[in-house]
Amino acid sequence: MDAFRVLVMTKPFGELEPGRLAEILGGMSADGGEVVVRDGQTVTPGEPQRLLEVAKEFARHGLGIDVVTTDLVRADATADRVFGVCAEAGVPLVRVGWWRYDAGLGYQRIAAEARRELAALAALARRHHLRIALQLHHGTIHPSAAHALRLTEELAVYADPGNQVMEGREDLAMSLDLLGDRVACVGVKNAAWLGERLGWQPLADGGVLEWPDILRTLHQRGYDGPLSLHAHYPMTDPGATVARDLRHLREAISLSRS
């Protein structure tokens, strides 16, 4: 058996109805899903209760909702409703939104706002008995482990080597040393040079990240949480394309043990 639970992020499937979404993910032998709550998706911020239907359909296909990803950056009424439904659905982890860097505003101003909002979101999550996470993401004020730790000492962190390579590169072992058991999920994707810039491409096509090495480092540092497969590149058949990437990820997990 794989040491990790392997999830599929639902973003490529758009507004697919819950039963069909569960059928596709179950058919590709995913362990569970990272369900995106966003306009244009199966579950939206305006209708978060649809997550309960997704949870029911996932369970019928032997899947779990291990992570719900949101764009929430304020502890407002929308966040309260989304957190409430996540708690009812038994979701163990909710990913919040991000704070982009703006040179016009400056880091200190953005960071002060982020700290306030993250503290308020954390308090709201505690009322719903939820764990929430901040993702390491390029173009934000939290692209690395050290930057994330400057913003919050209480939230989990969603690591993402692909996002980090878009920003530059941070030694993964050092990131894991800094974050310790606060790493709640690891995003999986790859990028390649497209002319003078990096762009996303299928995981199965390789790229600048050596995933067997990354997975080996995760093993060595004691990480045994979920891996979530992301597909951010254009595709005509999401089911077949993501399934190909998922097979490649399982092969990389096997190689990481050798």
Side-chain angles (χ1 to χ4, degrees), residues 2-238:
D2 292 337
F4 306 108
R5 276 182 63 79
V6 179
L7 317 178
V8 170
M9 188 183 193
T10 60
K11 179 181 174 181
F13 303 101
E15 298 176 328
L16 212 58
E17 59 93 13
R20 181 60 181 146
L21 180 62
E23 182 181 7
I24 290 175
L25 266 61
M28 65 178 70
S29 299
D31 297 318
E34 176 181 345
V35 176
V36 178
V37 176
R38 189 175 289 161
D39 288 340
Q41 294 286 305
T42 301
V43 184
T44 66
E47 293 184 295
Q49 65 276 10
R50 203 166 190 218
L51 185 67
L52 300 176
E53 186 180 352
V54 174
K56 180 180 177 180
E57 292 294 335
F58 271 34
R60 283 203 317 117
H61 288 80
L63 303 167
I65 301 178
D66 294 59
V67 184
V68 162
T69 280
T70 74
D71 295 328
L72 298 170
V73 293
R74 293 183 182 82
D76 55 14
T78 297
D80 193 26
R81 287 193 298 272
V82 171
F83 283 1
V85 175
C86 287
E88 186 178 351
V91 174
L93 182 72
V94 178
R95 195 180 99 191
V96 297
W98 52 77
W99 282 262
R100 294 201 176 276
Y101 177 67
D102 181 333
L105 293 175
Y107 172 83
Q108 297 298 343
R109 181 175 173 182
I110 302 167
E113 178 187 354
R115 291 188 190 102
R116 287 193 301 270
E117 297 295 354
L118 285 167
L121 283 163
L124 181 61
R126 283 195 297 272
R127 292 202 291 275
H128 288 286
H129 307 288
L130 286 176
R131 189 182 192 198
I132 59 175
L134 179 67
Q135 186 188 26
L136 304 185
H137 202 293
H138 55 288
T140 71
I141 62 168
H142 41 92
S144 69
H147 280 90
L149 290 172
R150 292 190 68 182
L151 300 178
T152 174
E153 290 296 331
E154 58 181 320
L155 296 194
V157 172
Y158 189 122
D160 197 310
N163 283 348
Q164 290 177 272
V165 81
M166 284 290 190
E167 183 79 13
R169 191 180 286 264
E170 181 179 61
D171 185 272
L172 179 61
M174 183 177 70
S175 294
L176 297 172
D177 285 349
L178 282 168
L179 296 172
D181 62 5
R182 293 176 59 180
V183 180
C185 190
V186 176
V188 179
K189 49 184 173 279
N190 215 332
W193 286 102
L194 307 174
E196 295 183 354
R197 58 179 290 276
L198 279 172
W200 302 123
Q201 72 171 20
L203 186 73
D205 292 343
V208 297
L209 293 170
E210 296 293 338
W211 272 100
D213 291 343
I214 291 170
L215 294 164
R216 194 171 294 114
T217 298
L218 291 170
H219 278 299
Q220 291 168 350
R221 296 289 161 166
Y223 178 75
D224 60 1
L227 304 173
S228 186
L229 177 63
H230 298 186
H232 295 321
Y233 49 84
M235 63 189 84
T236 56
D237 185 346

